Amino acid sequence: MQVSTCLFALCSAVLAAPRQENLLRRATGSLTSWLAAESPIALQGVLNNIGPNGVDAPGADSGMVVASPDQVNPDYFYSWTRDSALTFKCLTDQFLAYGTSGLEAQIRDYVNAQAAVQTIENPSGGLCTGGLGEPKFYLNQTAFFGPWGRPQRDGPALRATALIAYARYLISQGESSSVSSIIWPIVQNDLSYVTQYWNDTTFDLWEEIDSSSFWTTAVQYRALIEGNTLAGQIGESCSNCVSQAPNVLCFLQSYWNGEYIVANTGGGRSGKDSNTILASIHVFDPDASCDDNTFQPCSDKMLANHKVLTDSFRSIYSINSGISEGSGVAVGRYPEDTYQGGNPWYLCTMAAAELLYDAVYQWKRIGSLNVTSTSLAFFQAIYPSAAVGTYSSSSSTFDSIIDAVMTYGDSYMSIAEKYTPSNGSLSEQFSKTTGSPLSAYDLTWSFAAFLTAYNARAAAMPASWGAASASLPSSCSGSSASGPCSTATATFTSGTLTPTCSAQPSTTVIFNELVTTTYGTNIYLTGDNSELGNWSTGSEAVPCSASAYTSTNPLWYCVATLPAGTDIQYKFIQVASDGTVTWESGSNREYTVPSNCAGVAEVNDSWQ
Ligand code: NOJ
Ligand code: NOJ
């Protein structure tokens, strides 16, 4: 048993460490605490929106994803093929990276649900007559017949990518037969849709413009490449994937205007659009280099585009005013946007961060970094002395630039942190003038966007899909090829995997402490566990965040991930700017770390 209090003189001696360093640690400590706290909330937020058991998806069929539980202005109580596929790509990567056991049952429910959704006759057509391009369905798997921007041709490609991510895993587990019988028939229909219609116009992902869209073309390319690879692995083929993919890649190049990517061929806008960074993080391949043709995150074109796009939001949102050029801002869909007030979106802001984390990963893996005349302005904004050249990972310039890009990425996540309410809910938008959450609440895609950015920051990267094999034909041709299409009849048997998620080995505990402090004083959490610093009052103690602190609700919160089931003792301490430590009075606080499937818990205390 450790001592619970220490001699005042001793503690202050220990803490009379240089103050500057302490402040610096607090500055970064705040983002990392928030990320740790938000991560289980985001995962739970996604799961809450999936039928049949999600608490915010009442009445939704098994495996159907609710875009948001919001049913009024806007009514998002539907299942979009795009949102659902991006969500399940995220959950599959989460399952693969962390082995979160309960997720696999949900992934199988999604596969089964999509086999059924493919067959629903809808205003875009039937299974083999264009119906796969229908954007959204009711949660009981029936068609929506109201007016809508349709078709949206990204859906089938995104669904193929999500299903293929799980198929790869099954193959690695020796379960190719379920891939052949259950997943491939669904994927094959989606690939046939893409090979037939990629060269036709489409409503874009924002459901507004009917033209060609960078996002749609990029995600279609990815699906064709990995679809063909999957086919080869299970003794099938996709000859149309082989014939069409080069033309799709060729067309993809045409969106680049020399300075940035013009996101849509129609619409009469500037073309600066988050569609482009979302596409880049979607086609990110950890094994690809900084390939320009597939617009990888570290490609010079994508970096140049990142700057032009994010800069376009600097002057139009007042919450961005005063933020200097090299620091992240709130990012929206596109600068001309007026939908629901035309505000910044959480998922776009976090995508801007994710792209930078992906780029850092690629440079480190390649072992060098290129600054070209195309990307120079991007680099100079965050590292003013940047110059055109190639920097090997053994050079100090490489290290400095990598640090600057990571910091820049974190500055976008800090914007998301700043405008996320203390309960962690992520809406669709946040006000361009006040930063308060707006439009659909608890948007599934916002939570998924948090998780993918979080994982990229932690270098927990998704599998390669073969981007490195990209070869560009010397001339482009618009073409089309219709392929096999038939109802996918086989499904995973329900109940073979536990449908509910099982308890996690550790729990991220958010310790809330109401305590009024004066400027310069910081709160730390310390206790009898190594994660809590073993009663340290120095650098081992857990720094708490005042990011939600107000005079009427003086909330400090601290985050620690602790072994589930452990009994702990803890206390909060105040550390004044001169290093003086003040302990809470009374006996030590006691707590048993709960064990639950979300791996998250919250404790509410007030200074004693
Ligand atoms: C003509 C282009 O050649 C083709 O590739 C494109 O998809 C269509 N226009 C639709 O915009
Ligand atoms: C509107 C967005 O523009 C679209 O991309 C999304 O699919 C739906 N909301 C549902 O979240």
Side-chain angles (χ1 to χ4, degrees):
M1 186 80 229
Q2 314 255 352
V3 278
S4 61
T5 55
C6 63
L7 293 171
F8 175 79
L10 180 63
C11 291
S12 42
V14 169
L15 280 164
R19 209 158 308 135
Q20 197 107 46
E21 201 182 296
N22 210 21
L23 285 175
L24 207 65
R25 191 162 71 90
R26 284 221 28 80
T28 53
S30 165
L31 177 64
T32 52
S33 319
W34 178 72
L35 293 171
E38 186 67 19
S39 144
I41 293 172
L43 178 56
Q44 193 61 53
V46 169
L47 299 179
N48 288 346
N49 292 352
I50 302 175
N53 296 318
V55 294
D56 291 325
D61 280 358
S62 175
M64 294 295 278
V65 182
V66 176
S68 149
D70 206 334
Q71 299 189 36
V72 189
N73 189 29
D75 180 1
Y76 278 17
F77 208 60
Y78 293 90
S79 199
W80 269 261
T81 301
R82 169 180 42 261
D83 298 45
S84 305
L86 291 171
T87 298
F88 269 96
K89 172 64 166 57
C90 165
L91 290 181
T92 303
D93 288 338
Q94 195 81 10
F95 166 63
L96 298 179
Y98 306 105
T100 316
S101 58
L103 293 181
E104 191 173 8
Q106 308 240 29
I107 294 165
R108 292 183 175 209
D109 287 348
Y110 169 72
V111 176
N112 291 350
Q114 294 307 306
V117 167
Q118 280 195 336
T119 66
I120 304 171
E121 291 278 336
N122 62 65
S124 299
L127 167 65
C128 305
T129 54
L132 301 186
E134 181 68 6
K136 70 172 192 181
F137 295 88
Y138 285 108
L139 297 162
N140 64 358
Q141 302 184 343
T142 54
F144 168 75
F145 284 94
W148 209 255
R150 58 168 67 92
Q152 295 178 19
R153 304 192 195 278
D154 56 340
L158 296 170
R159 178 168 51 209
T161 288
L163 297 180
I164 291 168
Y166 182 53
R168 269 190 214 107
Y169 165 76
L170 288 176
I171 291 170
S172 77
Q173 299 299 299
E175 291 184 51
S176 302
S177 62
S178 11
V179 174
S180 301
S181 62
I182 303 173
I183 297 184
W184 173 250
I186 309 171
V187 169
Q188 187 175 44
N189 292 337
D190 284 337
L191 296 175
S192 292
Y193 182 89
V194 174
T195 60
Q196 184 169 356
Y197 297 109
W198 71 269
N199 195 31
D200 288 82
T201 61
T202 172
F203 274 85
D204 69 324
L205 80 172
W206 309 134
E207 319 190 283
E208 295 169 339
I209 296 180
D210 188 10
S211 70
S212 292
S213 180
F214 180 79
W215 158 266
T216 305
T217 306
V219 307
Q220 288 173 336
Y221 177 70
R222 174 179 174 156
L224 295 182
I225 296 298
E226 60 187 343
N228 182 53
T229 304
L230 177 71
Q233 287 172 328
I234 56 168
E236 300 279 352
S237 65
C238 183
S239 54
N240 290 342
C241 297
V242 178
S243 71
Q244 300 305 299
N247 293 336
V248 179
L249 185 66
C250 199
F251 181 43
L252 189 66
Q253 311 311 309
S254 67
Y255 295 90
W256 172 253
N257 74 357
E259 285 170 38
Y260 63 93
I261 297 158
V262 178
N264 299 299
T265 55
R269 303 174 186 154
S270 62
K272 297 171 189 173
D273 194 312
S274 288
N275 152 339
T276 56
I277 51 174
L278 289 164
S280 184
I281 61 176
H282 181 82
V283 302
F284 164 70
D285 184 327
D287 290 351
S289 58
C290 298
D291 178 34
D292 260 333
N293 294 339
T294 57
F295 294 89
Q296 290 298 307
C298 63
S299 65
D300 59 355
K301 285 180 181 171
M302 190 47 73
L303 294 172
N305 178 71
H306 186 285
K307 180 171 190 320
V308 171
L309 172 67
T310 54
D311 281 352
S312 77
F313 298 105
R314 290 183 185 274
S315 59
I316 64 170
Y317 299 150
S318 63
I319 56 169
N320 287 341
S321 75
I323 297 178
S324 58
E325 200 197 4
S327 191
V329 286
V331 178
R333 298 193 302 180
Y334 50 92
E336 301 87 349
D337 198 4
T338 57
Y339 173 65
Q340 292 282 327
N343 294 286
W345 284 42
Y346 291 100
L347 71 90
C348 298
T349 305
M350 295 190 288
E354 182 172 337
L355 186 143
L356 301 172
Y357 300 144
D358 287 347
V360 165
Y361 181 90
Q362 290 175 314
W363 287 318
K364 285 185 174 169
R365 190 177 164 282
I366 299 162
S368 73
L369 176 158
N370 253 339
V371 178
T372 68
S373 57
T374 303
S375 58
L376 183 62
F378 166 86
F379 285 105
Q380 282 181 336
I382 54 169
Y383 186 73
S385 59
V388 170
T390 299
Y391 303 95
S392 121
S393 59
S394 58
S395 69
S396 62
T397 308
F398 179 90
D399 291 340
S400 306
I401 294 180
I402 291 279
D403 282 352
V405 177
M406 277 309 280
T407 303
Y408 188 40
D410 278 355
S411 66
Y412 285 94
M413 290 309 276
S414 294
I415 297 282
E417 174 193 1
K418 184 171 180 185
Y419 299 117
T420 299
S422 57
N423 67 3
S425 164
L426 292 175
S427 295
E428 179 184 79
Q429 310 184 18
F430 49 104
S431 163
K432 58 190 168 192
T433 54
T434 67
S436 54
L438 288 175
S439 191
Y441 65 88
D442 288 339
L443 187 80
T444 315
W445 189 358
S446 294
F447 287 127
F450 173 89
L451 293 172
T452 56
Y454 178 88
N455 291 340
R457 186 177 189 271
M461 296 306 191
S464 165
W465 57 272
S469 67
S471 77
L472 203 55
S474 50
S475 72
C476 297
S477 82
S479 57
S480 166
S482 46
C485 174
S486 61
T487 305
T489 46
T491 52
F492 286 109
T493 315
S494 64
T496 47
L497 290 169
T498 330
T500 52
C501 79
S502 48
Q504 300 301 302
S506 56
T507 303
T508 298
V509 185
I510 303 162
F511 293 86
N512 293 315
E513 169 84 338
L514 289 171
V515 49
T516 302
T517 46
T518 50
Y519 189 78
T521 294
N522 286 313
I523 300 294
Y524 289 79
L525 169 71
T526 185
D528 70 346
N529 182 286
S530 58
E531 296 297 322
L532 303 180
N534 290 319
W535 292 116
S536 163
T537 56
S539 61
E540 302 301 305
V542 179
C544 305
S545 169
S547 64
Y549 186 99
T550 61
S551 57
T552 50
N553 186 41
L555 177 67
W556 285 82
Y557 71 91
C558 346
V559 182
T561 298
L562 298 158
T566 322
D567 291 321
I568 59 157
Q569 296 200 3
Y570 67 96
K571 272 193 170 183
F572 298 92
I573 54 173
Q574 295 195 28
V575 182
S577 53
D578 67 356
T580 308
V581 173
T582 310
W583 285 81
E584 286 192 299
S585 60
S587 49
N588 294 333
R589 296 179 182 275
E590 293 183 354
Y591 180 63
T592 303
V593 179
S595 162
N596 60 39
C597 81
V600 65
E602 204 166 359
V603 175
N604 293 306
D605 293 319
S606 299
W607 184 262
Q608 62 182 27

